[in-house]
Amino acid sequence: VSAVLHIGNLSLKEDAEGHAFMDKERHLQAVAALLKLDEDAVQKAMCSRMITAGADVMNKPETLEKANQCRDALGKALYSKLFDYIVTCVNSALRLKQDTVTMQVSVLDIFGFEVFKENHFE
């Protein structure tokens, strides 16, 4: 969860040529440490893309908008995988016998319920 929160705090900037870049800051360091990745690899993955044409491989710098989309997509993907893992673990712990489900955790998320004056699902 901490890595997802730090990803959301990553600050991307734009250079004079319109290319995205990321300062080496505490959030980048935290993301790299928590995910056991190299800081430069995280920065490169968010701020550039690899293009393969035949045998040639080149890195193309991303725009600030594309880099922000990449950062947000990574955070959402990690959060989704973590959530699914937690629900699976809880459901497994609630099983008393191998094939018998005694209780189960489910999530109801219906868009729009949060705007009702009275929301009986929360």
Side-chain angles (χ1 to χ4, degrees):
V1 173
S2 183
V4 173
L5 295 173
H6 281 289
I7 287 170
N9 288 330
L10 289 174
S11 177
L12 295 155
K13 298 176 184 170
E14 190 173 48
D15 65 13
E17 296 175 356
H19 302 146
F21 73 95
M22 191 182 315
D23 287 330
K24 298 231 179 201
E25 43 127 4
R26 65 185 175 101
H27 296 295
L28 176 59
Q29 294 167 352
V31 168
L34 290 166
L35 298 178
K36 298 184 186 326
L37 300 170
D38 180 57
E39 289 178 34
D40 292 330
V42 173
Q43 183 174 6
K44 185 177 180 182
M46 286 194 198
C47 296
S48 65
R49 64 182 151 144
M50 190 182 315
I51 299 172
T52 305
D56 295 332
V57 178
M58 59 184 257
N59 282 317
K60 181 180 182 212
E62 291 286 14
T63 63
L64 180 60
E65 180 181 355
K66 292 280 188 184
N68 279 323
Q69 290 173 356
C70 181
R71 176 201 57 207
D72 296 345
L74 176 62
K76 288 176 186 177
L78 283 174
Y79 184 83
S80 176
K81 292 292 184 185
L82 177 62
F83 182 82
D84 291 345
Y85 173 75
I86 290 170
V87 170
T88 300
C89 287
V90 170
N91 285 338
S92 293
L94 293 175
R95 294 183 201 276
L96 294 177
K97 295 181 180 176
Q98 197 165 16
D99 292 329
T100 305
V101 177
T102 56
M103 292 183 279
Q104 185 171 342
V105 173
S106 299
V107 177
L108 174 63
D109 184 15
I110 301 174
F111 179 76
F113 272 91
E114 64 274 3
V115 297
F116 291 154
K117 288 182 183 178
E118 281 188 46
N119 181 349
H120 296 285
F121 288 108
E122 289 182 352

